[in-house]
């Protein structure tokens, strides 16, 4: 059954800021309606007060030649075997797809998005994003033609260092594999189980219910919806993207990518206005339709916190596998909706 379960807990302490008066803080424990993963919502109404100053990081990144800057790509990036790309690299507009110099899968590549070394989050255009997705997907498609055993893929993004990005120059990371990642497996397994037990496609019900209440439904372009998940898995919130009725990424890919790029642009502008300067993104690709599962993507803003550049991943997430989120999904939704 589709259920949004939350329990409210209370923490009590004597507050030094108010002459040690008793203070009660309400905390919510929420359960993801599909995966049953737990997310905690803290009520502090957290907002970043200013964007992180990136000038020093950008200057530092230019001390050594950047492999993705125009005059360097040819000399400093690896090439594919000719079976994958005749000229060694896959190019599309300004996008150049090359093998990952530090592979973490048999098939992991990097897609340099644009000739600009640094693109502020709010300045990404639909065209840059669309070209990046299209070129990354072309790489994955070529691999499918060469290795029929490949079943899974993803197009990922670490934008700027707090998200794990090792280069300032914007780039996506397409991957193809024989086995799913644990999260992709969890989504497929839970979606199939939901279909078996309820006779309904979870994602259809989910988008319908959330659009009806509106509290967490951010917006839609074409058949691609953007929502703030009920139980986020990131300290500063999460966005889930649902490619409605799309059981396989291989159908109408171009139209879906156009809508996705449009919405992604809006999300980036909204997150930038919230002073975020970094994010992770993943688009999950199953080559075979999975029972009860539609194509989805996830976006998580990432940050370090002043004054000490404190990280946004702590023992709770790293070692216990649960996350406390300081921006409620309802707040995240109301912040981002005006950008749609
Ligand atoms: Zn560069």
């Amino acid at each position: 059954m589709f259920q949004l379960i939350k329990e409210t807990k209370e923490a009590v302490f004597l507050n030094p800021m108010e002459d040690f008066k008793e203070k009660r803080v309400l905390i919510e424990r929420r359960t993801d309606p599909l995966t049953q993963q737990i997310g905690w919502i803290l009520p502090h109404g957290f907002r970043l007060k200013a964007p992180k100053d990136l000038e020093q990081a950008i200057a530092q990144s230019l001390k050594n030649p950047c492999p993705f800057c125009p005059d360097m790509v040819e000399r400093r990036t690896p090439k594919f075997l000719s079976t994958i790309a005749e000229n060694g690299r896959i190019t599309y507009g300004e996008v150049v797809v090359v093998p990952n110099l530090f592979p973490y899968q048999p098939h992991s590549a990097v897609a340099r998005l644009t000739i600009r070394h640094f693109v502020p989050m709010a300045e990404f255009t639909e065209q840059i994003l669309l070209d990046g997705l299209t070129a990354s997907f072309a790489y994955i498609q070529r691999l499918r033609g060469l290795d029929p055993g490949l079943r899974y893929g993803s197009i990922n993004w670490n934008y700027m260092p707090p998200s794990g990005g090792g280069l300032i120059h914007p780039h996506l990371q397409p991957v193809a594999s024989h086995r799913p990642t644990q999260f992709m497996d969890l989504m497929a397994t839970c979606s199939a189980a939901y279909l078996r037990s309820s006779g309904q496609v979870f994602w259809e019900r989910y988008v319908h219910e959330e659009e009806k209440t509106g509290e967490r439904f951010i917006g839609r372009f074409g058949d691609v919806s953007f929502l703030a998940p009920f139980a986020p898995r990131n300290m500063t919130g999460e966005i889930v993207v649902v490619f409605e009725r799309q059981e396989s990424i291989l159908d109408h890919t171009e139209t879906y990518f156009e809508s996705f790029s449009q919405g992604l642009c809006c999300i980036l502008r909204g997150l930038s206005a919230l002073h975020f300067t970094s994010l992770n993104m993943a688009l999950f690709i199953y080559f075979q339709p999975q029972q009860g599962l539609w194509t989805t993507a996830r976006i998580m803003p990432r940050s370090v916190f002043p004054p000490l550049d404190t990280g946004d991943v702590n023992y709770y997430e790293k070692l216990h596998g649960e996350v406390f989120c300081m921006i409620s999904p309802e707040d995240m939704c109301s912040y981002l909706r005006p950008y749609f």
Side-chain angles (χ1 to χ4, degrees):
M1 287 302 290
F2 184 84
Q3 278 183 307
L4 298 177
I5 299 167
K6 64 179 172 189
E7 297 165 52
T8 303
K9 309 279 181 186
E10 191 177 63
V12 186
F13 59 90
L14 305 180
N15 186 3
M17 309 300 182
E18 289 178 22
D19 208 15
F20 294 97
K21 268 205 320 215
E22 196 172 282
K23 184 171 172 85
R24 293 172 181 275
V25 178
L26 297 178
I27 305 159
E28 280 179 12
R29 182 184 190 270
R30 297 189 180 189
T31 307
D32 184 274
L34 179 69
T35 64
Q36 312 302 310
Q37 287 177 309
I38 301 300
W40 295 82
I41 308 291
L42 310 190
H44 309 307
F46 172 82
R47 291 283 294 268
L48 285 169
K49 290 191 174 62
K52 184 169 169 53
D53 185 358
L54 300 170
E55 258 171 52
Q56 204 188 348
I58 295 166
Q60 180 70 30
S61 75
L62 289 167
K63 282 191 175 157
N64 292 311
C66 165
F68 292 158
C69 276
D71 47 342
M72 284 293 148
V73 175
E74 190 57 40
R75 278 188 288 155
R76 290 293 186 102
T77 61
K79 288 184 179 183
F80 291 115
L81 304 181
S82 60
T83 45
I84 296 176
E86 211 173 306
N87 302 323
R89 301 185 179 96
I90 299 167
T91 55
Y92 188 88
E94 287 182 26
V95 184
V96 186
V97 187
V98 302
N100 198 319
L101 198 52
F102 304 100
Y104 46 87
Q105 284 272 332
H107 301 297
S108 55
V110 177
R112 191 279 309 261
L113 279 178
T114 159
I115 57 172
R116 285 176 71 186
H117 180 69
F118 169 61
V119 181
M121 202 185 263
E123 290 182 24
F124 281 95
T125 62
E126 286 169 35
Q127 196 62 50
I128 293 178
L129 298 168
L130 180 59
D131 287 354
L133 291 168
T134 305
S136 297
F137 191 64
Y139 160 70
I140 292 171
Q141 285 284 60
R142 285 192 198 188
L143 292 174
R144 287 185 68 223
L146 296 170
D147 182 351
L150 291 173
R151 291 277 183 277
Y152 307 91
S154 58
I155 299 175
N156 309 281
W157 194 5
N158 297 329
Y159 172 69
M160 298 300 283
S163 69
L167 292 171
I168 298 290
H169 206 126
H171 57 283
L172 300 179
Q173 303 200 30
V175 176
S177 59
H178 295 94
R179 291 165 176 269
T181 58
Q182 288 189 328
F183 185 66
M184 287 181 71
D185 195 33
L186 182 68
M187 274 197 299
T189 307
C190 293
S191 296
Y194 189 91
L195 181 65
R196 270 199 309 276
S197 66
S198 70
Q200 287 181 318
V201 173
F202 168 83
W203 297 96
E204 185 169 16
R205 181 81 193 272
Y206 172 62
V207 172
H208 175 77
E209 293 291 335
E210 290 290 37
E211 192 168 13
K212 201 166 65 183
T213 64
E215 280 183 297
R216 288 169 294 272
F217 188 87
I218 301 167
R220 173 190 281 121
F221 282 99
D223 286 327
V224 179
S225 292
F226 295 75
L227 305 96
F230 178 71
R233 298 171 304 134
N234 180 46
M235 187 189 273
T236 48
E238 181 177 12
I239 294 106
V240 61
V241 187
V242 183
F243 292 49
E244 291 175 60
R245 291 171 291 283
Q246 204 213 29
E247 290 174 349
S248 164
I249 192 82
L250 308 177
D251 300 329
H252 311 293
T253 310
E254 212 178 304
T255 315
Y256 277 105
F257 276 0
E258 275 172 20
S259 302
F260 180 37
S261 304
Q262 276 181 293
L264 186 51
C265 245
C266 300
I267 296 284
L268 295 183
R269 286 203 296 274
L271 292 178
S272 173
L274 290 171
H275 301 316
F276 286 106
T277 50
S278 180
L279 63 85
N280 293 115
M281 186 200 80
L283 167 67
F284 307 103
I285 298 170
Y286 302 77
F287 296 148
Q288 259 86 43
Q290 307 290 306
Q291 285 209 324
L293 178 61
W294 288 351
T295 299
T296 62
R298 303 260 176 173
I299 303 158
M300 293 180 179
R302 300 294 309 277
S303 197
V304 290
F305 303 113
L308 301 179
D309 278 354
T310 300
D312 63 1
V313 176
N314 52 35
Y315 83 91
Y316 209 54
E317 176 175 351
K318 198 83 175 151
L319 300 174
H320 292 265
E322 291 190 13
V323 171
F324 57 80
C325 180
M326 304 195 297
I327 302 177
S328 78
E330 296 73 26
D331 282 349
M332 181 60 96
C333 178
S334 64
Y335 296 149
L336 295 179
R337 190 182 285 146
Y339 294 88
F340 274 67

